[in-house]
Amino acid sequence: MDVLISAVTAADVDAVVALARRSWQQTYSGIISQEQIDFMLEQRYHPQRLLEELTMPQIWWDQASFDGRLAGFSSCLITPTGNMKLDKLYVDPERQRMGIGAQLLDRVVGHALAAACETLILAVNKRNDRAIAAYRKHGFAVRESVCVAIGDGFVMDDFIMARSLAAHAARRHTR
Ligand SMILES: CC(C)(COP(=O)(O)OP(=O)(O)OC[C@H]1O[C@@H](n2cnc3c(N)ncnc32)[C@H](O)[C@@H]1OP(=O)(O)O)[C@@H](O)C(=O)NCCC(=O)NCCS
């Protein structure tokens, strides 16, 4: 399978936003309200915000292309406590279960190790069973349960999941 992982550039932003809209609609209808989907997309995927994040040294945006077309994207960032947070991971609904999420995750692990972070964390909606299954498959375990207000009366009812990268880091050091 010909999947190419590369950094998102300014020229890719419109395609990433379009894929986010499609993927969010498919993923979160039935989990959160349409009003919350629209609110969160506006908050997180405004093209101007993505363009700004692309210039920030502690945020990484990556994309997966399949047959020359955008098939998924991820973003990660270093938290104030020094962990790497997988902030976004979305694969085209038509391209899921082909290992593309795993490849984007590998890229994020690479960023974490390069930044000397030994733990990868993420927040996932408690009712997003498929993503939770995927994260478990890729070595994450639930660490905490949170419910965070995000404005306009909406909350994020999430599990915090974590994956230790200590073994990866040790392997790197012994090479
Ligand atoms: C979660 C996600 C990023 C995983 O990416 P992916 O490319 O499908 O994942 P991989 O092929 O690397 O791993 C596949 C695993 O994901 C889970 N999975 C992915 N799609 C699934 C589906 N439609 N139904 C059930 N399980 C699914 C399974 O655990 C699967 O393992 P299996 O095929 O051995 O059962 C992707 O499914 C996705 O974009 N989901 C919708 C968006 C989302 O929820 N993102 C996470 C937000 S926190």
Side-chain angles (χ1 to χ4, degrees), residues 3 5 13 34 55 60-61 72 79 89 115 118 134-135 153 156 173:
V3 176
I5 308 291
V13 163
Q34 187 61 46
T55 68
W60 292 264
W61 276 88
T79 69
L89 179 64
E118 292 203 349
Y135 291 137
M156 285 191 352
H173 288 134

Side-chain angles (χ1 to χ4, degrees), residues 3 8 10 17 44 50 57-58 63 65-66 82 85 88-90 94 108 113 118 128 131 136 150 163 174:
V3 176
V8 171
V17 170
R44 282 141 199 261
L50 265 67
Q58 292 200 320
Q63 60 186 335
S65 311
F66 179 77
K85 180 177 183 192
K88 301 178 177 70
L89 179 64
Y90 289 88
E94 285 163 27
V108 169
L113 294 174
E118 292 203 349
N128 190 350
R136 284 192 197 283
I150 54 168
R163 170 177 160 184
T174 52

Side-chain angles (χ1 to χ4, degrees), residues 23 27-28 89-91 96-102 123-124 128 130-131 133-135 137-138:
S23 179
T27 304
Y28 296 114
L89 179 64
Y90 289 88
V91 172
Q96 290 173 12
R97 283 187 124 157
M98 295 167 60
I100 293 175
V124 57
N128 190 350
R130 290 176 182 180
Y135 291 137
K137 180 179 166 176
H138 295 306

